[in-house]
Amino acid sequence: MSITVIILAAGKGTRMKSALPKVLQPLANTPLLGHVIHTAKQLHPKRIITIYGHGGELVKQAFADEQIDWVEQAEQLGTGHAVQMTLPVLPTDGLSLILYGDVPLVSLQTLQRLLEASKDSGIGMITLNVEDPTGYGRIIRQDGKIQSIIEHKDANAEQRQIHEINTGIYCVSNAKLHQWLPKLSNHNVQGEYYLTDIIAMAVADGLEIASIEPEFRFEVEGVNDRLQLARLECEWQNYQAEQLMRQGLHIVDPHRFDLRGSLKFGCDVRIDINVIIEGDCELGDNVQIGAGCVLKNTKIASGTVVQPYSVFDSAIVGQNNQIGPFSRLRPNAVLADEVHIGNFVEVKNSRIGFASKANHFTYLGDAEVGCESNIGAGTITCNYDGANKHKTTIGDHAFIGSNSALVAPVHIGNGATVGAGSVITRDVEAQSLAVERSKQVARANYQRPQKLK
């Protein structure tokens, strides 16, 4: 049976107090709506219909690369009205999952269970039992079967004692949606068209409404303000950390760990506090990541130790490297095995060969460094002439003295030595020494400039 996914994402999100539409607020560095779309795509639906409203152009632009049918809800007249807007593009066959752009964490497994439970009757929903149901629509049952949903503001005192609530997530036959949605009424306290009214319509048609509960409460938690967003972020990060630890990852403190993408890891990997993992990262056996590091789209091979407060972005690191503290690997930094990159060293678009070292205060950009070479403290490759980037090549077993500036394009040969404090503008032959300094000048009784009083 074909599946359609309908995502309600038209809310303004006034309580966010933000110029950014609510569904674009980030959770684990991904827009709320992005989480929903990612999960929906794993169901391989026939189409994804997203209802937009406030900030619609920003929302559409953020997901311009996705195959989405966009439907506008110009007036905010309730959830039933929002789904009514889809009728011109909604298929007449199959089932629709009705999701929300501000309820980001419903799992694929929960949606698959809902689809399975709903396929016979043609209608199902996710409910949840909570200690405090204040503000939520209550599930009205008779002999264990769902009869209707009553909104909190419309409920009487007895109905408000019910602890089973409506999450708003439904699975409904498209044929029934075409039948029921035009019949919705706004005769209620809010003066809105409630999507919940289709439940009573289904009962009137003699259908039994299937229901399931999610495995985790956070799957159906919505976001309306900054406090709820922060709480959901904490719940999600704790859940992810728990799953990784069950798989064998050593996280020193799961409450101070952030996964904002995906992580593959080997045996005996240890991650210290306040580490952020972004994008797709991979850590080999026995890798150690120190406190405060940020890894984004990075692959680190086995045995490498990363000292605290190092930042990696789109880097590839070999085995048994020693990196940090306070190192920075920028895009296309590729490090071979046994490399040392020390404190306040930055590597960008460069390849560093086996067992080479740059231990202090160095910038290596657009460079190729051979094996077992030593880059002294304060060395920089001057790769940018103000208009174009140029390459620096350093051979095997080279020694670059401290505070050297290598003005690209330039080649330093195998076994060559560059004297400290040199500005190298010409190629250096293999096994040779190059020193480029101006003559030292001494002036007796020199008077330094004084500040004007």
Side-chain angles (χ1 to χ4, degrees):
M1 181 174 288
S2 66
I3 300 168
T4 299
V5 174
I6 299 172
I7 305 174
L8 280 65
K12 187 174 182 180
T14 305
R15 283 178 277 175
M16 282 289 180
K17 302 186 185 303
S18 171
L20 195 66
K22 179 169 67 170
V23 296
L24 295 185
Q25 299 292 333
L27 176 80
N29 212 36
T30 296
L32 297 176
L33 179 57
H35 287 277
V36 185
I37 292 172
H38 174 73
T39 304
K41 286 167 60 178
Q42 295 178 73
L43 293 165
H44 306 291
K46 183 176 183 180
R47 59 176 50 182
I48 298 175
I49 303 172
T50 302
I51 303 152
Y52 70 94
H54 174 74
E57 291 308 312
L58 285 175
V59 175
K60 292 165 68 175
Q61 182 179 348
F63 300 98
D65 295 334
E66 301 288 357
Q67 296 296 315
I68 292 175
D69 294 312
W70 296 99
V71 173
E72 184 179 14
Q73 184 189 21
E75 295 182 273
Q76 308 297 299
L77 302 178
T79 53
H81 176 257
V83 183
Q84 281 178 339
M85 298 297 98
T86 71
L87 288 176
V89 296
L90 184 67
T92 56
D93 63 329
L95 295 171
S96 275
L97 281 168
I98 300 175
L99 310 177
Y100 298 83
D102 60 359
V103 182
L105 297 181
V106 60
S107 72
L108 174 65
Q109 293 75 19
T110 294
L111 293 180
Q112 289 172 332
R113 286 171 51 220
L114 178 59
L115 284 165
E116 182 65 24
S118 308
K119 67 180 182 180
D120 291 333
S121 64
I123 182 166
M125 61 187 299
I126 300 177
T127 69
L128 187 68
N129 281 279
V130 297
E131 291 185 9
D132 181 8
T134 304
Y136 295 98
R138 307 305 203 277
I139 304 298
I140 309 300
R141 291 181 182 265
Q142 183 177 338
D143 298 326
K145 297 179 180 180
I146 297 174
Q147 300 300 305
S148 64
I149 301 170
I150 187 76
E151 295 300 322
H152 179 84
K153 292 183 178 180
D154 298 317
N156 59 37
E158 182 181 354
Q159 291 166 336
R160 291 187 179 187
Q161 298 305 308
I162 298 171
H163 289 266
E164 186 181 17
I165 64 168
N166 172 37
T167 67
I169 297 175
Y170 304 96
C171 180
V172 190
S173 156
N174 287 330
K176 289 297 183 181
L177 286 175
H178 278 280
Q179 176 186 333
W180 293 332
L181 289 174
K183 298 178 182 179
L184 294 178
S185 167
N186 65 345
H187 296 154
N188 50 62
V189 173
Q190 292 289 91
E192 294 184 349
Y193 295 90
Y194 290 153
L195 182 60
T196 53
D197 289 347
I198 67 173
I199 298 300
M201 293 179 183
V203 173
D205 285 354
L207 299 178
E208 184 174 334
I209 293 95
S211 67
I212 67 163
E213 288 203 24
E215 184 177 359
F216 302 99
R217 176 172 174 165
F218 66 72
E219 294 185 57
V220 294
E221 288 182 354
V223 174
N224 291 303
D225 59 29
R226 304 287 189 184
L227 292 174
Q228 290 177 336
L229 181 61
R231 281 196 292 265
L232 192 57
E233 179 83 45
C234 289
E235 289 184 81
W236 180 235
Q237 293 300 345
N238 288 338
Y239 168 77
Q240 292 188 110
E242 181 178 321
Q243 298 305 305
L244 293 173
M245 289 188 293
R246 291 184 187 281
Q247 297 166 31
L249 180 63
H250 180 186
I251 300 176
V252 171
D253 184 350
H255 299 292
R256 290 183 287 176
F257 169 80
D258 280 88
L259 176 58
R260 304 172 183 177
S262 67
L263 175 62
K264 296 179 180 179
F265 57 92
C267 183
D268 293 321
V269 173
R270 182 182 185 274
I271 295 182
D272 211 330
I273 63 171
N274 298 328
V275 170
I276 298 174
I277 307 292
E278 298 185 41
D280 299 318
C281 292
E282 185 173 342
L283 307 178
D285 296 342
N286 300 300
V287 167
Q288 297 183 41
I289 307 297
C293 291
V294 179
L295 310 182
K296 180 179 180 181
N297 296 321
T298 288
K299 183 176 181 179
I300 301 177
S302 61
T304 288
V305 176
V306 181
Q307 299 290 346
Y309 305 107
S310 297
V311 178
F312 296 1
D313 182 358
S314 304
I316 298 176
V317 179
Q319 297 181 23
N320 302 315
N321 278 213
Q322 299 290 324
I323 300 177
F326 300 99
S327 297
R328 186 181 182 194
L329 303 185
R330 291 171 59 192
N332 298 316
V334 179
L335 279 54
D337 299 342
E338 310 285 348
V339 169
H340 288 197
I341 298 294
N343 50 287
F344 304 104
V345 175
E346 179 178 346
V347 182
K348 187 271 296 183
N349 193 33
S350 297
R351 302 181 71 89
I352 312 300
F354 173 80
S356 286
K357 300 178 181 180
N359 280 324
H360 322 277
F361 307 103
T362 291
Y363 172 67
L364 298 172
D366 299 291
E368 183 104 21
V369 179
C371 299
E372 298 183 326
S373 289
N374 187 87
I375 312 299
T379 295
I380 63 171
T381 56
C382 306
N383 58 326
Y384 184 53
D385 63 8
N388 300 296
K389 299 289 182 69
H390 301 281
K391 186 173 182 178
T392 298
T393 303
I394 300 171
D396 300 337
H397 307 287
F399 184 94
I400 311 299
S402 297
N403 286 333
S404 294
L406 310 180
V407 182
V410 69
H411 174 79
I412 311 298
N414 293 336
T417 300
V418 172
S422 294
V423 178
I424 301 299
T425 59
R426 294 172 293 175
D427 290 351
V428 178
E429 296 294 327
Q431 310 300 329
S432 67
L433 168 67
V435 181
E436 288 281 350
R437 306 171 185 148
S438 63
K439 182 179 180 181
Q440 183 170 316
V441 175
R443 296 180 183 178
N445 301 315
Y446 174 70
Q447 179 64 51
R448 277 179 292 178
Q450 304 294 313
K451 290 184 177 179
L452 297 175
K453 296 184 179 178

